[in-house]
Amino acid sequence: AQKITQTQPGMFVQEKEAVTLDCTYDTSDQSYGLFWYKQPSSGEMIFLIYQGSYDEQNATEGRYSLNFQKARKSANLVISASQLGDSAMYFCAMSENYGGSQGNLIFGKGTKLSVKP
Amino acid sequence: SQTIHQWPATLVQPVGSPLSLECTVEGTSNPNLYWYRQAAGRGLQLLFYSVGIGQISSEVPQNLSASRPQDRQFILSSKKLLLSDSGFYLCAWSRVETSGRNTDTQYFGPGTRLTVL
């Protein structure tokens, strides 16, 4: 069964507007971490933001915020004031056994975001 | 600050030839290290991870192998490449606290694009 689901293969957003990228996850662990990465056309995976399962506040990093709804098992990424440079693939990922020795990440299939001028 | 290097950036190899991809990390010690493969238009698949020198765990059975001869060096190898080995290979590291707790956030290198013909 898929553990990370990103239902939007592609999204368009107008420059300067906000956009939400969806991510749902499946785990039976109580302790886990949720991550978002950006992959521009160059290929490098850039870490954006993370949320721990015990964190009560939604994580924020600049224009990025993570809308964490634990009961719904969702961890949506919100990008405010979109810029042309935000056009990229975005991957949601989860780490089970959070804080354990291994920290393996499970990735979703990604959402391609295109920002229109 | 920490940096992660991968080389080569691109590689074209014939079927049946050997492979050696190298990854090094600077600015940290005793990191966890990871090798991922990304097929065209797909998410990331974890291939190997290492929690210390000489300690390698394989996630997917295949004709690839990994080695960690030094603390901050991780090598991905193959004796005979297959067509299905083509893809984008990413190395990543995560910080491990002195307590042994893994901090889970993974930072990726620039990747190696491998084409097997």
Side-chain angles (χ1 to χ4, degrees):
Chain A
Q2 214 170 0
K3 293 206 169 188
I4 296 287
T5 303
Q6 295 181 252
T7 57
Q8 307 150 313
M11 289 278 288
F12 287 91
V13 65
Q14 202 68 38
E15 192 178 10
K16 299 181 185 178
E17 291 185 350
V19 63
T20 298
L21 306 183
D22 295 340
C23 173
T24 57
Y25 60 92
D26 181 25
T27 182
S28 56
D29 283 2
Q30 296 300 310
S31 178
Y32 52 90
L34 296 159
F35 304 80
W36 278 92
Y37 286 84
K38 172 184 178 181
Q39 187 178 40
S41 57
S42 62
E44 184 174 359
M45 294 286 283
I46 302 167
F47 166 69
L48 296 178
I49 194 168
Y50 105 95
Q51 177 94 35
S53 58
Y54 291 118
D55 295 338
E56 295 184 355
Q57 299 282 341
N58 284 344
T60 60
E61 288 287 349
R63 294 186 298 111
Y64 303 108
S65 60
L66 199 153
N67 184 1
F68 180 46
Q69 299 188 40
K70 197 169 182 177
R72 294 185 177 184
K73 292 189 175 179
S74 73
N76 299 339
L77 177 69
V78 180
I79 304 175
S80 63
S82 297
Q83 301 172 357
L84 295 178
D86 294 334
S87 293
M89 284 290 289
Y90 288 81
F91 291 94
C92 180
M94 176 175 67
S95 173
E96 294 181 307
N97 188 27
Y98 183 61
S101 62
Q102 299 165 8
N104 298 344
L105 293 182
I106 303 165
F107 283 83
K109 294 186 177 180
T111 295
K112 184 173 183 179
L113 177 66
S114 300
V115 180
K116 298 185 288 186
Chain B
S1 64
Q2 300 83 18
T3 55
I4 178 169
H5 305 278
Q6 283 186 249
W7 64 91
T10 59
L11 192 59
V12 180
Q13 292 284 94
V15 170
S17 64
L19 173 74
S20 181
L21 303 181
E22 189 163 344
C23 170
T24 58
V25 181
E26 295 177 357
T28 189
S29 53
N30 194 34
N32 279 1
L33 297 172
Y34 308 84
W35 277 113
Y36 289 88
R37 177 170 59 202
Q38 185 179 29
R42 304 290 296 276
L44 272 67
Q45 179 187 38
L46 178 65
L47 301 175
F48 301 95
Y49 67 90
S50 171
V51 300
I53 295 175
Q55 300 179 63
I56 309 295
S57 296
S58 173
E59 290 293 301
V60 182
Q62 59 219 323
N63 69 320
L64 299 172
S65 62
S67 62
R68 184 169 177 176
Q70 299 180 44
D71 181 44
R72 289 169 289 176
Q73 184 185 29
F74 205 22
I75 297 172
L76 183 68
S77 304
S78 174
K79 292 183 179 178
K80 288 186 177 182
L81 284 169
L82 306 173
L83 286 174
S84 57
D85 291 325
S86 293
F88 190 53
Y89 288 82
L90 286 155
C91 180
W93 73 276
S94 64
R95 185 171 59 86
V96 179
E97 297 175 347
T98 52
S99 64
R101 177 183 176 278
N102 181 58
T103 56
D104 281 351
T105 300
Q106 293 183 19
Y107 300 94
F108 287 80
T112 295
R113 201 165 298 279
L114 172 66
T115 303
V116 182
L117 302 175

mmCIF file of all heavy atoms in Angstrom, chain A residues 95-104, chain B residues 30-34 49-52 55 57 68 94-97 99-104 106:
data_model
loop_
_atom_site.group_PDB
_atom_site.id
_atom_site.type_symbol
_atom_site.label_atom_id
_atom_site.label_comp_id
_atom_site.label_asym_id
_atom_site.label_seq_id
_atom_site.Cartn_x
_atom_site.Cartn_y
_atom_site.Cartn_z
ATOM 1 N N SER A 95 9.167 10.021 7.362
ATOM 2 C CA SER A 95 10.137 9.189 8.054
ATOM 3 C C SER A 95 9.431 8.489 9.194
ATOM 4 O O SER A 95 8.909 9.146 10.100
ATOM 5 C CB SER A 95 11.272 10.051 8.603
ATOM 6 O OG SER A 95 12.134 9.274 9.407
ATOM 7 N N GLU A 96 9.374 7.166 9.113
ATOM 8 C CA GLU A 96 8.811 6.406 10.218
ATOM 9 C C GLU A 96 9.924 6.130 11.210
ATOM 10 O O GLU A 96 11.099 6.303 10.920
ATOM 11 C CB GLU A 96 8.209 5.095 9.700
ATOM 12 C CG GLU A 96 7.004 5.326 8.803
ATOM 13 C CD GLU A 96 6.387 4.045 8.291
ATOM 14 O OE1 GLU A 96 7.131 3.228 7.721
ATOM 15 O OE2 GLU A 96 5.174 3.861 8.450
ATOM 16 N N ASN A 97 9.557 5.688 12.400
ATOM 17 C CA ASN A 97 10.561 5.466 13.435
ATOM 18 C C ASN A 97 11.389 6.734 13.614
ATOM 19 O O ASN A 97 12.612 6.726 13.660
ATOM 20 C CB ASN A 97 11.478 4.295 13.074
ATOM 21 C CG ASN A 97 12.412 3.922 14.215
ATOM 22 O OD1 ASN A 97 12.106 4.143 15.371
ATOM 23 N ND2 ASN A 97 13.572 3.376 13.878
ATOM 24 N N TYR A 98 10.676 7.850 13.670
ATOM 25 C CA TYR A 98 11.286 9.170 13.717
ATOM 26 C C TYR A 98 12.277 9.274 14.873
ATOM 27 O O TYR A 98 11.957 8.958 16.013
ATOM 28 C CB TYR A 98 10.191 10.221 13.869
ATOM 29 C CG TYR A 98 10.663 11.645 13.852
ATOM 30 C CD1 TYR A 98 11.316 12.156 12.740
ATOM 31 C CD2 TYR A 98 10.439 12.485 14.919
ATOM 32 C CE1 TYR A 98 11.733 13.461 12.702
ATOM 33 C CE2 TYR A 98 10.849 13.795 14.889
ATOM 34 C CZ TYR A 98 11.497 14.286 13.779
ATOM 35 O OH TYR A 98 11.894 15.580 13.740
ATOM 36 N N GLY A 99 13.489 9.676 14.527
ATOM 37 C CA GLY A 99 14.512 9.813 15.554
ATOM 38 C C GLY A 99 15.262 8.531 15.838
ATOM 39 O O GLY A 99 16.179 8.513 16.654
ATOM 40 N N GLY A 100 14.875 7.465 15.164
ATOM 41 C CA GLY A 100 15.618 6.222 15.303
ATOM 42 C C GLY A 100 16.945 6.305 14.586
ATOM 43 O O GLY A 100 17.305 7.333 14.034
ATOM 44 N N SER A 101 17.646 5.222 14.528
ATOM 45 C CA SER A 101 19.003 5.264 13.997
ATOM 46 C C SER A 101 19.055 5.383 12.484
ATOM 47 O O SER A 101 20.053 5.782 11.928
ATOM 48 C CB SER A 101 19.779 4.019 14.434
ATOM 49 O OG SER A 101 19.146 2.862 13.909
ATOM 50 N N GLN A 102 17.959 5.052 11.794
ATOM 51 C CA GLN A 102 18.055 4.944 10.341
ATOM 52 C C GLN A 102 17.498 6.162 9.629
ATOM 53 O O GLN A 102 18.139 6.743 8.777
ATOM 54 C CB GLN A 102 17.326 3.693 9.874
ATOM 55 C CG GLN A 102 17.909 2.418 10.462
ATOM 56 C CD GLN A 102 16.970 1.258 10.277
ATOM 57 O OE1 GLN A 102 15.966 1.365 9.604
ATOM 58 N NE2 GLN A 102 17.272 0.140 10.892
ATOM 59 N N GLY A 103 16.297 6.550 9.967
ATOM 60 C CA GLY A 103 15.703 7.743 9.358
ATOM 61 C C GLY A 103 15.420 7.619 7.893
ATOM 62 O O GLY A 103 15.564 8.584 7.157
ATOM 63 N N ASN A 104 15.028 6.444 7.415
ATOM 64 C CA ASN A 104 14.734 6.305 5.989
ATOM 65 C C ASN A 104 13.492 7.084 5.616
ATOM 66 O O ASN A 104 12.493 7.079 6.313
ATOM 67 C CB ASN A 104 14.528 4.828 5.648
ATOM 68 C CG ASN A 104 15.760 4.006 5.912
ATOM 69 O OD1 ASN A 104 16.842 4.542 6.059
ATOM 70 N ND2 ASN A 104 15.587 2.703 5.979
ATOM 71 N N ASN B 30 30.370 11.407 11.097
ATOM 72 C CA ASN B 30 29.478 10.292 11.391
ATOM 73 C C ASN B 30 28.051 10.507 10.892
ATOM 74 O O ASN B 30 27.079 10.259 11.605
ATOM 75 C CB ASN B 30 29.446 10.007 12.906
ATOM 76 C CG ASN B 30 28.820 8.657 13.199
ATOM 77 O OD1 ASN B 30 28.970 7.720 12.427
ATOM 78 N ND2 ASN B 30 28.079 8.569 14.294
ATOM 79 N N PRO B 31 27.906 10.963 9.648
ATOM 80 C CA PRO B 31 26.540 11.136 9.142
ATOM 81 C C PRO B 31 25.938 9.791 8.749
ATOM 82 O O PRO B 31 26.655 8.820 8.507
ATOM 83 C CB PRO B 31 26.750 12.001 7.898
ATOM 84 C CG PRO B 31 28.093 11.565 7.398
ATOM 85 C CD PRO B 31 28.918 11.280 8.635
ATOM 86 N N ASN B 32 24.631 9.736 8.668
ATOM 87 C CA ASN B 32 23.979 8.639 7.941
ATOM 88 C C ASN B 32 24.042 8.997 6.460
ATOM 89 O O ASN B 32 23.883 10.166 6.086
ATOM 90 C CB ASN B 32 22.519 8.485 8.373
ATOM 91 C CG ASN B 32 22.371 7.715 9.661
ATOM 92 O OD1 ASN B 32 23.356 7.298 10.274
ATOM 93 N ND2 ASN B 32 21.136 7.532 10.085
ATOM 94 N N LEU B 33 24.281 8.007 5.628
ATOM 95 C CA LEU B 33 24.394 8.239 4.193
ATOM 96 C C LEU B 33 23.416 7.355 3.446
ATOM 97 O O LEU B 33 23.129 6.228 3.868
ATOM 98 C CB LEU B 33 25.825 7.962 3.717
ATOM 99 C CG LEU B 33 26.904 8.871 4.301
ATOM 100 C CD1 LEU B 33 28.293 8.377 3.917
ATOM 101 C CD2 LEU B 33 26.695 10.311 3.823
ATOM 102 N N TYR B 34 22.927 7.872 2.299
ATOM 103 C CA TYR B 34 21.865 7.187 1.559
ATOM 104 C C TYR B 34 22.134 7.290 0.055
ATOM 105 O O TYR B 34 22.628 8.308 -0.432
ATOM 106 C CB TYR B 34 20.509 7.850 1.841
ATOM 107 C CG TYR B 34 20.172 8.007 3.297
ATOM 108 C CD1 TYR B 34 20.635 9.097 4.026
ATOM 109 C CD2 TYR B 34 19.381 7.066 3.946
ATOM 110 C CE1 TYR B 34 20.336 9.247 5.372
ATOM 111 C CE2 TYR B 34 19.062 7.213 5.294
ATOM 112 C CZ TYR B 34 19.544 8.304 5.996
ATOM 113 O OH TYR B 34 19.229 8.440 7.325
ATOM 114 N N TYR B 49 21.472 2.396 2.544
ATOM 115 C CA TYR B 49 21.801 3.395 3.543
ATOM 116 C C TYR B 49 22.889 2.843 4.441
ATOM 117 O O TYR B 49 23.098 1.629 4.534
ATOM 118 C CB TYR B 49 20.580 3.840 4.341
ATOM 119 C CG TYR B 49 19.976 2.797 5.239
ATOM 120 C CD1 TYR B 49 20.402 2.646 6.562
ATOM 121 C CD2 TYR B 49 18.947 1.987 4.776
ATOM 122 C CE1 TYR B 49 19.832 1.705 7.392
ATOM 123 C CE2 TYR B 49 18.369 1.040 5.595
ATOM 124 C CZ TYR B 49 18.808 0.903 6.901
ATOM 125 O OH TYR B 49 18.243 -0.040 7.721
ATOM 126 N N SER B 50 23.596 3.769 5.088
ATOM 127 C CA SER B 50 24.723 3.390 5.928
ATOM 128 C C SER B 50 24.730 4.240 7.187
ATOM 129 O O SER B 50 24.628 5.463 7.118
ATOM 130 C CB SER B 50 26.038 3.579 5.156
ATOM 131 O OG SER B 50 27.144 3.404 6.014
ATOM 132 N N VAL B 51 24.870 3.576 8.331
ATOM 133 C CA VAL B 51 24.927 4.298 9.596
ATOM 134 C C VAL B 51 26.367 4.406 10.111
ATOM 135 O O VAL B 51 26.588 5.000 11.172
ATOM 136 C CB VAL B 51 24.020 3.655 10.666
ATOM 137 C CG1 VAL B 51 22.566 3.665 10.191
ATOM 138 C CG2 VAL B 51 24.473 2.234 10.964
ATOM 139 N N GLY B 52 27.326 3.838 9.384
ATOM 140 C CA GLY B 52 28.719 3.941 9.805
ATOM 141 C C GLY B 52 29.636 3.266 8.806
ATOM 142 O O GLY B 52 29.185 2.588 7.871
ATOM 143 N N GLN B 55 29.206 -0.286 7.248
ATOM 144 C CA GLN B 55 27.855 -0.744 7.576
ATOM 145 C C GLN B 55 26.903 -0.314 6.464
ATOM 146 O O GLN B 55 26.621 0.872 6.314
ATOM 147 C CB GLN B 55 27.388 -0.162 8.912
ATOM 148 C CG GLN B 55 28.262 -0.543 10.089
ATOM 149 C CD GLN B 55 27.754 0.084 11.370
ATOM 150 O OE1 GLN B 55 26.650 -0.207 11.818
ATOM 151 N NE2 GLN B 55 28.564 0.934 11.971
ATOM 152 N N SER B 57 23.178 -1.212 4.456
ATOM 153 C CA SER B 57 21.895 -1.912 4.408
ATOM 154 C C SER B 57 21.296 -1.709 3.029
ATOM 155 O O SER B 57 21.278 -0.595 2.506
ATOM 156 C CB SER B 57 20.949 -1.394 5.484
ATOM 157 O OG SER B 57 21.452 -1.661 6.764
ATOM 158 N N ARG B 68 31.165 1.940 2.074
ATOM 159 C CA ARG B 68 31.494 3.162 2.818
ATOM 160 C C ARG B 68 32.886 2.956 3.405
ATOM 161 O O ARG B 68 33.040 2.534 4.548
ATOM 162 C CB ARG B 68 30.480 3.432 3.912
ATOM 163 C CG ARG B 68 30.712 4.737 4.652
ATOM 164 C CD ARG B 68 29.529 5.064 5.539
ATOM 165 N NE ARG B 68 29.744 6.275 6.311
ATOM 166 C CZ ARG B 68 28.827 6.811 7.096
ATOM 167 N NH1 ARG B 68 27.626 6.263 7.202
ATOM 168 N NH2 ARG B 68 29.093 7.920 7.773
ATOM 169 N N SER B 94 22.261 12.620 6.506
ATOM 170 C CA SER B 94 21.507 13.191 7.611
ATOM 171 C C SER B 94 22.409 13.215 8.839
ATOM 172 O O SER B 94 23.316 12.394 8.975
ATOM 173 C CB SER B 94 20.224 12.405 7.889
ATOM 174 O OG SER B 94 20.513 11.080 8.302
ATOM 175 N N ARG B 95 22.135 14.163 9.693
ATOM 176 C CA ARG B 95 22.975 14.358 10.865
ATOM 177 C C ARG B 95 22.537 13.422 11.983
ATOM 178 O O ARG B 95 21.347 13.233 12.219
ATOM 179 C CB ARG B 95 22.876 15.807 11.332
ATOM 180 C CG ARG B 95 23.803 16.165 12.467
ATOM 181 C CD ARG B 95 23.782 17.679 12.701
ATOM 182 N NE ARG B 95 22.441 18.151 13.010
ATOM 183 C CZ ARG B 95 21.915 18.168 14.227
ATOM 184 N NH1 ARG B 95 22.596 17.694 15.244
ATOM 185 N NH2 ARG B 95 20.693 18.633 14.426
ATOM 186 N N VAL B 96 23.542 12.850 12.648
ATOM 187 C CA VAL B 96 23.280 11.981 13.794
ATOM 188 C C VAL B 96 23.820 12.661 15.034
ATOM 189 O O VAL B 96 24.983 13.070 15.070
ATOM 190 C CB VAL B 96 23.954 10.604 13.607
ATOM 191 C CG1 VAL B 96 23.697 9.708 14.816
ATOM 192 C CG2 VAL B 96 23.428 9.935 12.342
ATOM 193 N N GLU B 97 22.980 12.832 16.028
ATOM 194 C CA GLU B 97 23.416 13.467 17.268
ATOM 195 C C GLU B 97 24.331 12.536 18.062
ATOM 196 O O GLU B 97 24.373 11.329 17.812
ATOM 197 C CB GLU B 97 22.187 13.854 18.092
ATOM 198 C CG GLU B 97 21.303 14.880 17.397
ATOM 199 C CD GLU B 97 20.032 15.175 18.170
ATOM 200 O OE1 GLU B 97 19.722 14.418 19.111
ATOM 201 O OE2 GLU B 97 19.358 16.153 17.830
ATOM 202 N N SER B 99 23.991 11.396 20.816
ATOM 203 C CA SER B 99 23.205 10.371 21.504
ATOM 204 C C SER B 99 22.906 9.183 20.599
ATOM 205 O O SER B 99 22.419 8.150 21.071
ATOM 206 C CB SER B 99 21.879 10.981 21.984
ATOM 207 O OG SER B 99 21.103 11.390 20.864
ATOM 208 N N GLY B 100 23.159 9.341 19.304
ATOM 209 C CA GLY B 100 22.829 8.292 18.339
ATOM 210 C C GLY B 100 21.510 8.526 17.635
ATOM 211 O O GLY B 100 21.140 7.811 16.709
ATOM 212 N N ARG B 101 20.794 9.546 18.076
ATOM 213 C CA ARG B 101 19.510 9.833 17.467
ATOM 214 C C ARG B 101 19.719 10.475 16.103
ATOM 215 O O ARG B 101 20.452 11.433 15.937
ATOM 216 C CB ARG B 101 18.723 10.782 18.364
ATOM 217 C CG ARG B 101 17.378 11.207 17.790
ATOM 218 C CD ARG B 101 16.697 12.215 18.703
ATOM 219 N NE ARG B 101 15.464 12.718 18.135
ATOM 220 C CZ ARG B 101 15.374 13.699 17.244
ATOM 221 N NH1 ARG B 101 16.472 14.301 16.831
ATOM 222 N NH2 ARG B 101 14.224 14.083 16.769
ATOM 223 N N ASN B 102 19.034 9.906 15.117
ATOM 224 C CA ASN B 102 19.096 10.467 13.767
ATOM 225 C C ASN B 102 18.124 11.631 13.659
ATOM 226 O O ASN B 102 16.991 11.537 14.132
ATOM 227 C CB ASN B 102 18.729 9.381 12.763
ATOM 228 C CG ASN B 102 18.786 9.883 11.345
ATOM 229 O OD1 ASN B 102 19.803 10.353 10.889
ATOM 230 N ND2 ASN B 102 17.669 9.819 10.643
ATOM 231 N N THR B 103 18.562 12.723 13.058
ATOM 232 C CA THR B 103 17.703 13.893 12.974
ATOM 233 C C THR B 103 16.766 13.855 11.771
ATOM 234 O O THR B 103 15.959 14.747 11.614
ATOM 235 C CB THR B 103 18.550 15.176 12.912
ATOM 236 O OG1 THR B 103 19.443 15.073 11.798
ATOM 237 C CG2 THR B 103 19.345 15.352 14.186
ATOM 238 N N ASP B 104 16.903 12.852 10.936
ATOM 239 C CA ASP B 104 15.944 12.531 9.874
ATOM 240 C C ASP B 104 15.951 13.435 8.653
ATOM 241 O O ASP B 104 15.738 12.955 7.560
ATOM 242 C CB ASP B 104 14.507 12.473 10.418
ATOM 243 C CG ASP B 104 14.240 11.167 11.125
ATOM 244 O OD1 ASP B 104 15.087 10.263 11.043
ATOM 245 O OD2 ASP B 104 13.193 11.044 11.755
ATOM 246 N N GLN B 106 17.080 14.853 5.502
ATOM 247 C CA GLN B 106 18.135 14.449 4.589
ATOM 248 C C GLN B 106 18.456 15.574 3.615
ATOM 249 O O GLN B 106 17.555 16.227 3.100
ATOM 250 C CB GLN B 106 17.723 13.183 3.833
ATOM 251 C CG GLN B 106 17.604 11.969 4.750
ATOM 252 C CD GLN B 106 17.270 10.704 4.020
ATOM 253 O OE1 GLN B 106 17.450 10.583 2.813
ATOM 254 N NE2 GLN B 106 16.775 9.710 4.753
#
